[in-house]
Amino acid sequence: MNVVSALNDTYVPYTYVMLSSLFKNNKKTSIDVYLLEADLGERSMERLSLLAKAFGNEIHFVQMDRDSFDERLLATHEWSMETCFRLAMNDVLPADLDRVIYLDGDMIINRDISDLYERPFPAKKHLIVTHDMTMTPDSGEVYGELHTEVFNRLIRENKYFNAGMILMDFAYLREHYGYSSYIDLAESLDFEIFAPDQDLLNLMHEDETEFVDAWKYDLFACNAFIRGYDYDRVKRDVSIIHFVGEKPWRGGSHFHYGVEQLWWDYALDTDYAEELLKAFIDTHFSDSKFYDAIHQAEQFNENLRREITSAIATFKKLYALINGGGESAAEDGADIFGDTQSLMQIPIGERTVAESDMTGFVRAVIADTSVEDYVESLRDENTKLKSQLDDALSACEALKGTLGL
């Protein structure tokens, strides 16, 4: 099996975990891994090589020149140039490879994937992929006009794929495509792309892709959570889990899904376990962006309450003018707006964790749903408040019309 991934020194621990999961669940298969990199340190390469050798496999480090990649490919700071390295795979990998599978470093290979790797390519199909679970017909509107025009067609036609897992008919692709092919395409789009390599791969190969089940071969952890896939179901049924967006190794004050425990099951069985645990705990206590967002949502809801109070006061005055009953006459009419929820507080918790308790702490953070539950209550409250405000403003407008105002 020929496996390709791209990374920098920062991503070594996470790619190490991915490869460890791959090797553990594919012991009957001889695996050659080609890592596209520009700046890996000697120690990082040594650790990765030793991991592969422990399973009878081999890692090949493919040196890339970051400066040879056009910086215009990176639409935002969210992307590193390493993500574009796969656009040059056809130019740098050995010429005798007939097929390769590209895997992102933020994945867990949870089962034997030889069934996927050995899958035959249908006629005129040269990439086997999965649908991108995060893309909807409205996604392009977020990314700009050209993205909306060009890529929403692929999304609406259910042809847009995620580039985290791609099985490639490499003998064909090497002959027909190279880095220059993708750069020419980007030039024709005036580089108005969002997901740099993924967008270009989708547009270039839209008629050459065969889709397989994303829920088995590229399941996004966030989608598993939304769909109600728990840890046991994912562990039992899913071959490849993809941790897109916020990462399981970042403590931070963001959503943590129960299936993140699967990533930690593999991570804790590697040489990076202690390093990863400490980093998780550090970020958990230092990253406040999610709590900041929660406080902003609380403030927004509080502002809505003030607007509702003001609208109700206006309603009462108008109601009294029409009915001649004074302030008390308006009380019954005001009841249509109902009560609002009171604000709740989220405790930040202790700021220190004993080293002996690090694993238990991480497991507890992942299992705890209090933050998610509170955010859901804020969303419900926000919906209710907006509806109440709309009702109050509509009622005021109706009374103004009656009074000829």
Side-chain angles (χ1 to χ4, degrees):
M1 182 184 296
N2 300 312
V3 175
V4 185
S5 195
L7 75 166
N8 54 29
D9 224 33
T10 300
Y11 231 70
V12 167
Y14 322 127
T15 303
Y16 189 102
V17 174
M18 183 274 286
L19 291 175
S20 179
S21 69
L22 170 71
F23 297 153
K24 286 179 180 178
N25 291 308
N26 292 268
K27 292 180 179 178
K28 296 180 180 179
T29 304
S30 176
I31 302 174
D32 282 278
V33 179
Y34 297 87
L35 294 180
L36 311 179
E37 54 86 18
D39 61 357
L40 292 191
E42 289 187 12
R43 179 56 179 152
S44 294
M45 290 192 283
E46 180 184 11
R47 294 177 78 170
L48 289 163
S49 295
L50 288 173
L51 170 67
K53 288 179 181 178
F55 289 90
N57 299 316
E58 188 171 358
I59 287 183
H60 311 269
F61 297 97
V62 182
Q63 184 73 30
M64 309 295 287
D65 179 7
R66 189 184 284 108
D67 292 336
S68 67
F69 289 80
D70 197 312
E71 291 185 357
R72 290 176 294 174
L73 287 168
L74 303 182
T76 75
H77 69 280
E78 295 179 24
W79 310 106
S80 69
M81 191 57 77
E82 281 75 15
T83 194
C84 298
F85 285 176
R86 79 190 87 186
L87 299 178
M89 282 193 301
N90 304 345
D91 303 322
V92 299
L93 293 183
D96 60 344
L97 302 182
D98 59 346
R99 64 170 59 203
V100 303
I101 185 168
Y102 186 94
L103 298 172
D104 271 350
D106 57 353
M107 290 178 156
I108 287 295
I109 314 306
N110 187 53
R111 303 179 66 84
D112 188 323
I113 58 170
S114 56
D115 61 326
L116 171 63
Y117 186 78
E118 295 166 4
R119 197 179 187 94
F121 291 95
K124 298 183 179 180
K125 304 294 183 182
H126 305 289
L127 296 88
I128 292 178
V129 295
T130 62
H131 291 106
D132 190 300
M133 290 184 161
T134 63
M135 288 296 189
T136 68
D138 297 325
S139 297
E141 296 176 7
V142 178
Y143 303 144
E145 291 184 8
L146 187 60
H147 197 286
T148 301
E149 176 186 347
V150 175
F151 296 100
N152 267 16
R153 174 180 57 80
L154 297 178
I155 297 168
R156 288 195 181 94
E157 294 174 3
N158 209 23
K159 294 169 65 176
Y160 191 93
F161 64 85
N162 178 259
M165 186 291 294
I166 311 176
L167 179 64
M168 302 177 177
D169 179 0
F170 200 66
Y172 175 88
L173 295 174
R174 183 179 57 249
E175 182 179 348
H176 293 85
Y177 302 97
Y179 175 68
S180 61
S181 309
Y182 301 108
I183 285 296
D184 289 345
L185 177 58
E187 289 273 9
S188 72
L189 298 170
D190 199 24
F191 287 88
E192 291 191 29
I193 51 181
F194 177 74
D197 59 314
Q198 182 168 287
D199 279 354
L200 295 174
L201 288 165
N202 267 276
L203 196 57
M204 182 71 79
H205 302 291
E206 63 170 299
D207 296 319
E208 299 179 317
T209 54
E210 174 75 1
F211 285 88
V212 292
D213 185 7
W215 291 89
K216 182 176 182 180
Y217 294 116
D218 192 5
L219 174 60
F220 290 4
C222 52
N223 288 78
F225 171 78
I226 293 169
R227 188 67 69 90
Y229 277 35
D230 62 12
Y231 168 91
D232 291 331
R233 182 173 182 180
V234 172
K235 186 174 179 62
R236 182 186 68 240
D237 297 337
V238 181
S239 295
I240 301 175
I241 302 96
H242 196 174
F243 296 92
V244 299
E246 294 287 0
K247 307 304 181 186
W249 56 81
R250 281 192 57 81
S253 47
H254 58 80
F255 277 170
H256 288 282
Y257 311 110
V259 294
E260 288 184 7
Q261 184 56 54
L262 191 61
W263 187 88
W264 280 101
D265 287 349
Y266 288 98
L268 292 174
D269 198 30
T270 70
D271 293 342
Y272 281 96
E274 184 174 349
E275 180 181 326
L276 290 166
L277 285 168
K278 288 181 178 179
F280 180 96
I281 292 168
D282 286 345
T283 55
H284 181 77
F285 289 133
S286 63
D287 180 8
S288 64
K289 65 181 180 182
F290 193 68
Y291 286 107
D292 291 342
I294 287 176
H295 295 323
Q296 288 177 3
E298 291 174 332
Q299 187 60 54
F300 184 74
N301 283 1
E302 184 61 29
N303 291 340
L304 282 175
R305 288 192 193 88
R306 293 193 185 100
E307 291 185 48
I308 291 171
T309 299
S310 175
I312 290 175
T314 300
F315 174 88
K316 287 180 178 180
K317 292 176 181 176
L318 294 171
Y319 192 91
L321 285 174
I322 292 174
N323 293 279
E327 191 76 11
S328 60
E331 293 299 329
D332 292 338
D335 286 342
I336 65 169
F337 307 118
D339 296 322
T340 61
Q341 291 178 246
S342 60
L343 289 176
M344 305 190 316
Q345 300 296 323
I346 297 181
I348 300 297
E350 296 296 326
R351 293 282 173 177
T352 59
V353 178
E355 230 174 89
S356 59
D357 296 332
M358 288 195 301
T359 301
F361 177 84
V362 171
R363 293 184 188 279
V365 169
I366 293 171
D368 182 17
T369 63
S370 60
V371 173
E372 290 88 336
D373 293 342
Y374 180 55
V375 170
E376 193 61 34
S377 74
L378 280 176
R379 288 173 177 162
D380 291 343
E381 181 185 42
N382 180 262
T383 299
K384 179 181 178 181
L385 289 172
K386 285 180 178 177
S387 177
Q388 290 173 339
L389 180 59
D390 287 343
D391 289 344
L393 293 175
S394 296
C396 287
E397 290 301 314
L399 293 183
K400 287 179 180 179
T402 302
L403 292 169
L405 299 177

